[in-house]
Amino acid sequence: MQRRRFLGMTAAGVATAALAPVLTACGSESPVGDKKLKLVAADYGDKPDNSSKKYWNSLARDFESKHKGIKIDVEVYSWTEVDKKVADMVAAGKAPDIAQIGAYADFAAAGKLYSADQLISIPTQADFITPIAKAGEVHRVQYGLPFVSSTRMLFYNQSLFTRAGIAKAPETWEELQAAAVKLKAAGVKIPFGLPLGPEEAPAETMLWMLAGGGGYTDNTGAYTINSDANIKAFAWVRDELVGKGLTGPGDPARTNRQDLFDAFCKGEVGMLHGHPTLMQQAENAKLKYGTAPLPGIKGKAASTMGVADWIMAFKQNGHREQIGTFLDFLFTKENHLSFTGQYQLLPVTESASAAMHLDRQYEKLWPFLDQLQNADFYPADKTSWAKVSATIKEKIGSVVQKSGDPAAVLGEIQREAEATELADR
């Protein structure tokens, strides 16, 4: 899952006025009078048996049985290709009606998306959890509808902790380092997993920034990548974790999240940052694990990272009314909870969130859910974020190498971020 933190983008050409629906035929494949909606979505499964395709096909058939005259054509792609697939479709003038992907801001800035109030009912709009919904805004107009969310916690291997004589999860960086030292002494291959490779670099980077009292942006939405707090955070990681051999034999700059998740499930990792789906993987591996709030520089981190994936509606085919009808159906409590519960993700609506909190089958998700209201997200509303994120993936790993210079590298990323912001205005 890609997600993401926000607020404060300027972009010309964003449509804010409501548009009347243009009810044009969607192609000769549909029965006469039917409107066919093309939906492109990301796959949250890790094998064919739990592919998201099954959820979307079932939902589509259920919707079609209740809404005669609207057909849903579903295409599901892996996370490694879905964003590019949609971008290519849009560039070719063949935008889908609905896309469930990782980012919306570029399309919103280009005036290609319907706004939320042009699509969905007031009750559906009001049901979104406010901090997450605001993350979908451009110029205070919502274009990105949150689809699912997650937060991050510290995961630890209980058996390895017992072997190393560690009584409880660390709450501070000093305690985290001390625990990592004990794990290393006990023969643990990777005392602390640090994925700064291209798959997870922006998320892992943000977690350390938040734990150190920093972040990607300030309250006004301005980039603060090279703040003193962020520089100090990565100097600490360089010197106290990587420099002391506490992150395992691999290079963090080339280490991806899923590789560490797999190693954690094999019992090779003592601690790492993780999201709810790691619980399912660990349980499938019959691993004894625990979760705890993120350790911070002087105590538990004031906030954690929240991630949202997005669903959006393109204006090209003029199917505003039909898209809105489908999205209202998608975000009913039962349908939304069905998807999030299946993939150990967090709901983005108050009704589904409340239902999850009352159902003991989701009890292990409650700590992640409790963090959601105060979580910090990627600046996903910035059209510059995609380029900034790519730069972070390329460069951040170097800051924790022996000769790494956090001030220089973060300063370079900051300058590039500011230049991209100016160019996008």
Side-chain angles (χ1 to χ4, degrees), residues 35-51:
K35 303 301 178 192
K36 178 182 273 190
L37 303 182
K38 186 177 195 60
L39 184 153
V40 177
D43 196 348
Y44 289 78
D46 57 2
K47 53 185 179 294
D49 287 348
N50 68 353
S51 170

Side-chain angles (χ1 to χ4, degrees), residues 306-317:
V307 175
D309 295 324
W310 303 96
I311 195 161
M312 62 213 68
F314 287 87
K315 297 188 295 186
Q316 180 177 316
N317 300 316

Side-chain angles (χ1 to χ4, degrees), residues 155-304:
F155 281 70
Y156 59 95
N157 183 314
Q158 291 179 333
S159 299
L160 296 182
F161 265 43
T162 299
R163 185 205 302 176
I166 305 168
K168 64 181 183 67
E171 296 184 359
T172 67
W173 286 357
E174 183 179 357
E175 291 177 359
L176 184 146
Q177 195 239 34
V181 169
K182 290 182 178 180
L183 288 164
K184 183 179 181 180
V188 176
K189 181 178 179 181
I190 305 172
F192 186 92
L194 186 66
L196 291 176
E199 179 188 8
E200 184 72 346
E204 188 70 16
T205 297
M206 186 170 179
L207 287 167
W208 286 103
M209 288 178 171
L210 292 173
Y216 281 127
T217 59
D218 61 19
N219 292 334
T220 70
Y223 282 116
T224 55
I225 295 167
N226 66 336
S227 68
D228 288 344
N230 292 341
I231 292 169
K232 289 177 181 177
F234 280 98
W236 187 89
V237 175
R238 178 197 62 196
D239 297 339
E240 302 301 326
L241 288 182
V242 181
K244 294 186 177 178
L246 301 177
T247 56
D251 179 359
R254 293 189 173 91
T255 301
N256 284 327
R257 175 189 63 189
Q258 191 56 54
D259 294 335
L260 284 177
F261 278 13
D262 292 343
F264 182 76
C265 293
K266 293 176 183 176
E268 297 174 351
V269 180
M271 301 175 284
L272 78 170
H273 296 136
H275 52 65
T277 55
L278 180 55
M279 294 191 298
Q280 195 171 49
Q281 295 178 38
E283 287 160 9
N284 290 341
K286 303 188 184 309
L287 185 82
K288 291 180 63 178
Y289 69 93
T291 60
L294 299 183
I297 189 168
K298 293 182 179 178
K300 294 178 183 178
S303 65
T304 188

Side-chain angles (χ1 to χ4, degrees), residues 112-421:
K112 296 183 180 297
L113 302 180
Y114 288 117
S115 63
D117 59 3
Q118 292 173 325
L119 292 167
I120 55 179
S121 67
I122 291 175
T124 301
Q125 291 183 64
D127 198 23
F128 285 124
I129 296 171
T130 300
I132 308 176
K134 284 188 176 297
E137 293 181 359
V138 174
H139 284 324
R140 300 187 180 181
V141 177
Q142 185 179 2
Y143 293 93
L145 306 182
F147 177 64
V148 293
S149 62
S150 69
T151 58
R152 302 298 171 94
M153 298 189 77
L154 180 75
F155 281 70
Y156 59 95
N157 183 314
Q158 291 179 333
S159 299
L160 296 182
F161 265 43
T162 299
R163 185 205 302 176
I166 305 168
K168 64 181 183 67
E171 296 184 359
T172 67
W173 286 357
E174 183 179 357
E175 291 177 359
L176 184 146
Q177 195 239 34
V181 169
K182 290 182 178 180
L183 288 164
K184 183 179 181 180
V188 176
K189 181 178 179 181
I190 305 172
F192 186 92
L194 186 66
L196 291 176
E199 179 188 8
E200 184 72 346
E204 188 70 16
T205 297
M206 186 170 179
L207 287 167
W208 286 103
M209 288 178 171
L210 292 173
Y216 281 127
T217 59
D218 61 19
N219 292 334
T220 70
Y223 282 116
T224 55
I225 295 167
N226 66 336
S227 68
D228 288 344
N230 292 341
I231 292 169
K232 289 177 181 177
F234 280 98
W236 187 89
V237 175
R238 178 197 62 196
D239 297 339
E240 302 301 326
L241 288 182
V242 181
K244 294 186 177 178
L246 301 177
T247 56
D251 179 359
R254 293 189 173 91
T255 301
N256 284 327
R257 175 189 63 189
Q258 191 56 54
D259 294 335
L260 284 177
F261 278 13
D262 292 343
F264 182 76
C265 293
K266 293 176 183 176
E268 297 174 351
V269 180
M271 301 175 284
L272 78 170
H273 296 136
H275 52 65
T277 55
L278 180 55
M279 294 191 298
Q280 195 171 49
Q281 295 178 38
E283 287 160 9
N284 290 341
K286 303 188 184 309
L287 185 82
K288 291 180 63 178
Y289 69 93
T291 60
L294 299 183
I297 189 168
K298 293 182 179 178
K300 294 178 183 178
S303 65
T304 188
M305 186 181 85
V307 175
D309 295 324
W310 303 96
I311 195 161
M312 62 213 68
F314 287 87
K315 297 188 295 186
Q316 180 177 316
N317 300 316
H319 295 149
R320 177 176 68 88
E321 183 178 342
Q322 292 80 14
I323 295 169
T325 300
F326 177 76
L327 292 175
D328 279 332
F329 182 77
L330 172 67
F331 284 108
T332 60
K333 179 179 68 177
E334 294 76 17
N335 288 334
H336 189 42
L337 191 60
S338 172
F339 187 89
T340 53
Q342 178 182 350
Y343 292 105
Q344 299 288 289
L345 294 164
L346 304 182
V348 297
T349 64
E350 296 284 3
S351 59
S353 181
M356 181 174 278
H357 235 314
L358 292 172
D359 192 334
R360 289 209 166 269
Q361 72 171 306
Y362 302 119
E363 188 171 4
K364 290 181 180 178
L365 286 171
W366 292 351
F368 295 90
L369 199 59
D370 290 341
Q371 298 183 127
L372 194 55
Q373 293 284 356
N374 296 317
D376 288 287
F377 292 79
Y378 290 139
D381 65 323
K382 290 176 172 286
T383 56
S384 60
W385 174 244
K387 293 180 181 177
V388 173
S389 178
T391 301
I392 292 166
K393 291 179 181 181
E394 177 187 351
K395 297 182 177 179
I396 197 65
S398 67
V399 304
V400 298
Q401 294 172 348
K402 186 174 182 180
S403 59
D405 187 340
V409 174
L410 294 177
E412 183 179 354
I413 297 172
Q414 173 76 19
R415 288 189 295 275
E416 290 187 20
E418 291 173 344
T420 304
E421 275 282 277

